[in-house]
Amino acid sequence: MKKSLLALAIGTFALGIAEFAMMGILSAVARELDVSIVKAGNLISAYSAGVAIGAPGLILLRRWPLKRLLLLLTAMIAVGNAAAALSPGYYTLLAARFVSGLPHGAFFGAGAIVCSRLADVGKGAQAVAVMVGGMTVANVVGVPGATFVTNVISWRVAFAIVSFFGMLAFAGMRAWVPYLKPLPDSGLKGQFRFLRHAEPWLVYAGVFFGQASVYTYLSYIDPVMTEVAGFSAASMSWIMVVAGLGMVVGNMLAAKLSDRYSAALVTGILAACVVVIMPVLYLCASMKVPVVILSFVATACLFGIGGPLQYIIVRYAKGGEMLGGAGIQIAFNVSNAIAAVLGGAAIHAGFGIASPALAGLPCAVIGAAALFILHYRYKA
């Protein structure tokens, strides 16, 4: 593995813990801050809102060399999560979560360009998969670790760990990422010109609806496992390991298939699989073994959809490549925020703790349709 790609993976490892750990520690945070589970779910949405607002900021820094930009973003990861660790109450933590989300989309947008420049011929999707792989490894090691230290010490330690890896990513960027010239400046209007075409919108629709289909359930995996399936709070550590392994498998397998076949077809098939998985997951939510297995499969589909689309958007964003790549993360995280709200609304309406799985079903149908159109009409 190239060290430059490893540096990017360390950055996404930190981002992965920052984004996903909240799902595994939601109940503990809610108890300590004395808020409801649904209100605590806003901490997930706040991070996603930061992503959505921070990613377009790339257009203001489009003339910067890519390495300098990545150094700024990793510094922001470290500072934002340090602020979360030190937050004295709910609203300050809400603000810190928003701030820590600001560099997320921009990092992936710039990182996708760096991967495309550093990748070996014919292995572009796999190079992006290495970067995204940092996030999947975070879900195998970092998120369960955050859940463990939360149960043993405090959720504040979890955010301090994220800050540490942000600093480590900064050091890796300085040491291993080579100087890369800024992208040709197409002007402010030129950054958005690619949005005149249908292809990027279909990619974004695939990400937005494909991710929401799983996130409506994943946002509330903690209460589903503990209150419906009957697992203990301590069991969430290994359950999140299983979910994280699904992400690793889905990310790497989909990347290899996408370098060989159509990325739109591969991701469309995975979104179609979610249409079947979500209702079965709802029906099996009280059965310990099936719900864990289905969670593994669902998260494999989640990252199997997102990873290849992060790569192919560069092809459809000429003149605005960084903004296009960041747009994937905007779609991903706005989807995440809305999914958490949809899941919470289903619970609040009295349909049960497991009902978020069904709330995501229409999203899976729309996401699959968008990706199949992208493949069959535009040959993506």
Side-chain angles (χ1 to χ4, degrees):
M1 180 190 300
K2 294 181 178 180
K3 290 183 178 180
S4 53
L5 297 179
L6 178 59
L8 291 168
I10 294 172
T12 62
F13 179 80
L15 293 171
I17 304 175
E19 182 171 19
F20 294 111
M22 185 57 70
M23 298 171 188
I25 66 176
L26 197 64
S27 296
V29 174
R31 284 193 300 271
E32 181 173 332
L33 300 181
D34 194 24
V35 297
S36 68
I37 284 289
V38 173
K39 189 173 182 179
N42 292 331
L43 296 168
I44 298 172
S45 300
Y47 185 93
S48 299
V51 177
I53 292 173
L58 277 175
I59 63 174
L60 301 177
L61 304 175
R62 63 187 184 276
R63 296 188 181 94
W64 280 31
L66 292 168
K67 180 174 181 176
R68 184 194 302 175
L69 179 58
L70 288 169
L71 287 171
L72 171 66
L73 296 172
T74 49
M76 291 176 67
I77 293 169
V79 172
N81 285 281
L86 299 172
S87 296
Y90 173 76
Y91 289 103
T92 51
L93 178 58
L94 195 69
R97 288 285 292 168
F98 172 79
V99 171
S100 62
L102 291 173
H104 186 116
F107 186 92
F108 275 90
I113 304 303
V114 172
C115 287
S116 67
R117 290 191 176 186
L118 299 178
D120 295 329
V121 177
K123 294 186 177 180
Q126 292 179 63
V128 172
V130 171
M131 178 182 73
V132 176
M135 181 169 281
T136 64
V137 172
N139 282 279
V140 177
V141 180
V143 172
T147 304
F148 176 77
V149 298
T150 295
N151 291 331
V152 174
I153 308 173
S154 170
W155 56 265
R156 298 179 185 278
V157 178
F159 289 113
I161 290 170
V162 179
S163 182
F164 168 77
F165 278 102
M167 292 184 284
L168 190 63
F170 181 91
M173 296 296 169
R174 290 199 60 165
W176 298 329
V177 174
Y179 173 83
L180 296 170
K181 293 181 180 180
L183 293 169
D185 186 11
S186 58
L188 187 59
K189 291 183 179 180
Q191 296 291 309
F192 297 91
R193 193 169 291 125
F194 72 96
L195 293 174
R196 297 176 180 176
H197 305 285
E199 294 95 317
W201 289 108
L202 289 169
V203 172
Y204 291 146
V207 172
F208 182 90
F209 291 105
Q211 306 295 303
S213 65
V214 179
Y215 263 112
T216 49
Y217 161 73
L218 192 59
S219 295
Y220 295 93
I221 189 173
D222 182 356
V224 168
M225 291 295 180
T226 56
E227 297 181 31
V228 180
F231 287 103
S232 66
S235 297
M236 285 307 300
S237 295
W238 69 262
I239 289 171
M240 296 307 290
V241 170
V242 173
L245 285 171
M247 295 178 186
V248 173
V249 172
N251 176 52
M252 298 308 297
L253 182 59
K256 290 183 178 180
L257 291 173
S258 295
D259 274 334
R260 185 172 181 181
Y261 304 106
S262 161
L265 180 61
V266 170
T267 53
I269 291 172
L270 290 173
C273 289
V274 176
V275 175
V276 177
I277 293 167
M278 288 295 105
V280 177
L281 201 156
Y282 171 77
L283 294 173
C284 297
S286 62
M287 306 175 190
K288 288 186 175 180
V289 174
V291 75
V292 171
I293 293 173
L294 288 165
S295 295
F296 172 90
V297 177
T299 55
C301 292
L302 175 73
F303 269 77
I305 294 169
L309 296 181
Q310 181 78 63
Y311 169 67
I312 68 169
I313 191 61
V314 176
R315 184 192 315 166
Y316 297 117
K318 298 302 181 185
E321 288 89 349
M322 281 201 296
L323 184 61
I328 291 287
Q329 293 302 309
I330 295 174
F332 186 99
N333 284 274
V334 172
S335 169
N336 183 1
I338 292 175
V341 172
L342 286 174
I347 295 171
H348 187 70
F351 293 109
I353 296 295
S355 62
L358 290 182
L361 184 58
C363 296
V365 174
I366 297 170
L371 292 168
F372 284 132
I373 292 171
L374 180 65
H375 172 67
Y376 288 109
R377 183 168 182 177
Y378 297 99
K379 308 302 179 185

